[in-house]
Amino acid sequence: MTLLTVHQDNHPTPATTATGTGTATGPHPAAEPDPTTRTSTETKTGTGTSAKTPVDPTHMLRLTTTVPREYVHRSTLAEVFLTGCEQTGNTHYTLTAQWPRAHTFFTTPDGTHHHPLQAAETIRQTGIYLAHAELGIPLGHHFLMRNLHLTTHPQHLTIGPTPTDLTLTATYTPHHPHTKRPTDFTMHITITRNGHPTATGTGRFTCLTPTTYQRLRHPHTTTAGTTSTSTSDAGTQHQPPNPPPTHYGRTLPHDIVLTPTPNPHTWQLTPNPHHPILFDHTTDHIPGMVLLEAAHQAATAHTHPTPTTHPTHPTTLHATFHHYTEHHTPTYITTHTTTNDQTPTTHITAHQNNTTVFTAQLTTHTPTET
């Protein structure tokens, strides 16, 4: 069986303040006690004592917070984008999310737009969150994303004066509807901003028990706490120099996941294993978001071979994860372009040991001023 993956789940059990419906409870300001509940010592004069009645939880304000980080398989609270969830039908859910104004990674080089791959990460979080919080998949299970289809609308990805609040509608379709738990399902998600479509996406998720995952991945599995290592030593002789980050659509060198090779339109996958976003937690394989970022960088370099400060936004992305991508085996990314209806599409392939592990098709767009 071919299994594909985005992230490994190596997280502790969440605190008991997180409910199974995904509503996270946290510290709130104390509500003013109802005057009718004051004790007699509070209304008496001259006693010099005052007794306070415990605050009724039903009187406490419900404030915005993120969902538990364990439910989206993230280690850092700042990387949790979902803020709430409500079931609106048997297989339909409405969620809320927020994107920060100045994310350290999911921002275009000119700082004017949210990066389209932030929508991909939000879709990934949504599928995993709903599986845990609504569909009964226990924490500790591993998730594989077999494919991802994403369409974004750059005119609605602009960064405003405040964080971007989003509404998501999600519908899941189980592939084995008669099983007790939907361990194999497709999630259809629409992300809107002030009523405008920002992104739409579809992803297929498969859940594995820890025992099944260990058996499937042996001997590649690592113990909790092991630090991820580089994909491989990129020590190819006569390697051409790496161009500046803007060549790949980025501004910081440590965000670059590719190294050029002597072959045209071919790069070696060399991500920084200590990157705080791409390697948020321990994995025994290359995370799917790293491969999506590699696809974006390769398409940018292929389409714009000279360094540029003008951002190109992926508007459509079709990605398939064919096999696990291992850490210590060289991975090579190749690209070629086709044109359909005057729209160029970049085709990206990642392969290890002459085996295709990942493919993607990406169209890009240079947004106009909004």
Side-chain angles (χ1 to χ4, degrees):
M1 179 185 296
T2 300
L3 293 176
L4 326 162
T5 185
V6 169
H7 277 292
Q8 179 188 5
D9 178 13
N10 281 332
H11 294 289
T13 302
T16 56
T17 54
T19 65
T21 59
T23 301
T25 59
H28 301 285
E32 180 67 21
D34 190 327
T36 60
T37 63
R38 296 179 186 271
T39 62
S40 59
T41 57
E42 293 182 278
T43 57
K44 287 182 180 180
T45 59
T47 61
T49 61
S50 176
K52 293 185 178 180
T53 302
V55 176
D56 185 349
T58 61
H59 291 170
M60 298 175 69
L61 297 176
R62 294 182 63 85
L63 304 180
T64 301
T65 184
T66 65
V67 303
R69 60 187 174 89
E70 292 85 357
Y71 284 7
V72 296
H73 296 191
R74 297 299 274 176
S75 295
T76 307
L77 287 173
E79 299 308 317
V80 180
F81 300 140
L82 302 183
T83 58
C85 176
E86 178 184 1
Q87 185 171 4
T88 55
N90 289 337
T91 60
H92 302 274
Y93 299 87
T94 298
L95 302 95
T96 53
Q98 186 181 86
W99 290 344
R101 292 177 58 196
H103 194 276
T104 58
F105 185 71
F106 291 121
T107 303
T108 57
D110 61 359
T112 62
H113 289 71
H114 297 288
H115 197 286
L117 288 186
Q118 191 162 18
E121 169 62 17
T122 303
I123 290 172
R124 185 198 72 85
Q125 291 189 15
T126 301
I128 295 176
Y129 171 78
L130 290 177
H132 283 315
E134 301 291 344
L135 306 182
I137 302 300
L139 291 171
H141 280 49
H142 298 256
F143 283 74
L144 315 173
M145 181 177 278
R146 297 180 179 271
N147 54 53
L148 173 68
H149 306 286
L150 176 69
T151 300
T152 62
H153 304 277
Q155 68 272 27
H156 299 306
L157 291 173
T158 54
I159 297 175
T162 60
T164 301
D165 291 314
L166 304 165
T167 300
L168 288 72
T169 57
T171 302
Y172 87 92
T173 302
H175 291 279
H176 306 286
H178 301 297
T179 58
K180 182 178 180 180
R181 290 175 178 149
T183 56
D184 187 11
F185 59 89
T186 293
M187 196 70 67
H188 306 270
I189 298 168
T190 300
I191 303 175
T192 59
R193 174 186 185 181
N194 297 327
H196 299 289
T198 301
T200 56
T202 300
R204 182 173 177 178
F205 297 81
T206 298
C207 310
L208 298 175
T209 66
T211 301
T212 301
Y213 185 83
Q214 291 287 332
R215 183 174 64 250
L216 179 68
R217 291 292 294 146
H218 183 78
H220 300 289
T221 51
T222 60
T223 57
T226 300
T227 302
S228 298
T229 56
S230 178
T231 306
S232 67
D233 54 354
T236 304
Q237 291 185 349
H238 309 297
Q239 216 167 13
N242 216 352
T246 52
H247 183 80
Y248 300 104
R250 288 294 182 182
T251 57
L252 300 177
H254 78 272
D255 289 337
I256 304 305
V257 301
L258 301 177
T259 298
T261 70
N263 300 320
H265 306 308
T266 302
W267 297 265
Q268 187 167 2
L269 183 66
T270 55
N272 174 9
H274 305 291
H275 194 284
I277 310 301
L278 295 175
F279 291 92
D280 173 73
H281 56 274
T282 301
T283 62
D284 62 12
H285 53 267
I286 298 297
M289 286 302 297
V290 174
L291 296 173
L292 295 180
E293 177 62 24
H296 165 251
Q297 293 186 16
T300 302
H302 182 102
T303 308
H304 300 275
T306 58
T308 176
T309 58
H310 299 289
T312 56
H313 294 198
T315 52
T316 61
L317 167 67
H318 302 286
T320 302
F321 304 89
H322 299 280
H323 293 281
Y324 290 101
T325 306
E326 307 299 347
H327 281 297
H328 302 289
T329 303
T331 304
Y332 294 97
I333 308 291
T334 59
T335 60
H336 72 275
T337 302
T338 59
T339 301
N340 184 18
D341 295 332
Q342 297 183 343
T343 300
T345 298
T346 305
H347 301 261
I348 302 99
T349 301
H351 50 90
Q352 284 187 331
N353 293 330
N354 298 318
T355 299
T356 299
V357 294
F358 168 77
T359 54
Q361 297 81 46
L362 193 67
T363 59
T364 58
H365 169 71
T366 302
T368 57
E369 292 293 333
T370 58

